[in-house]
Amino acid sequence: MTNEEASKDINYIIRSLNKRRMAPCGFCKSDKCIPNPHECTKDDFVIDKAIEALEKQIPKKVIWKRFDSSGDPLPLPYCSTCGKSVMRSDYCDNCGQRLDWSEEE
């Protein structure tokens, strides 16, 4: 799945859900949910998690931070989603975000 396909799928799911969701229910923590809390099912929760998983497939740039107190002259890489330090890998070990290691701006 390409980044564009994931974005398209996410937008389609959100548009479809927004047609039937109207107010927060508390179960799925969504700001747009169906009006009756008793109608908010595990399916809605699963759909929200599926959207989050699709979003994590779209690579985000690694954040490079330098700390003066460390004495290390080189900046260290951090995940732009969860803020945890990362190793040179395609995905963050902490949150699963796909990482973009490219130097391009």
Side-chain angles (χ1 to χ4, degrees), residues 64-78 85-87:
W64 293 90
K65 297 180 186 176
R66 182 178 306 204
F67 296 100
D68 297 331
S69 61
S70 70
D72 191 348
L74 300 175
L76 301 172
Y78 289 84
S85 62
V86 293
M87 302 295 284

Side-chain angles (χ1 to χ4, degrees), residues 14-84:
I14 290 171
R15 281 193 313 275
S16 298
L17 291 176
N18 284 342
K19 290 179 182 177
R20 65 183 183 92
R21 291 179 168 184
M22 300 172 73
C25 73
F27 174 72
C28 65
K29 307 297 186 216
S30 174
D31 59 346
K32 296 178 178 112
C33 195
I34 51 182
N36 183 346
H38 302 290
E39 293 177 16
C40 187
T41 64
K42 285 186 178 181
D43 290 341
D44 293 317
F45 180 75
V46 169
I47 289 169
D48 289 340
K49 291 299 177 187
I51 291 170
E52 287 178 27
L54 276 171
E55 288 172 340
K56 286 188 177 182
Q57 294 303 308
I58 300 170
K60 288 190 179 177
K61 287 219 178 267
V62 172
I63 298 172
W64 293 90
K65 297 180 186 176
R66 182 178 306 204
F67 296 100
D68 297 331
S69 61
S70 70
D72 191 348
L74 300 175
L76 301 172
Y78 289 84
C79 176
S80 58
T81 298
C82 70
K84 299 289 184 182

Side-chain angles (χ1 to χ4, degrees), residues 86-99:
V86 293
M87 302 295 284
R88 184 81 181 181
S89 173
D90 289 338
Y91 295 89
C92 173
D93 289 335
N94 185 60
C95 72
Q97 176 65 52
R98 188 172 178 190
L99 303 171

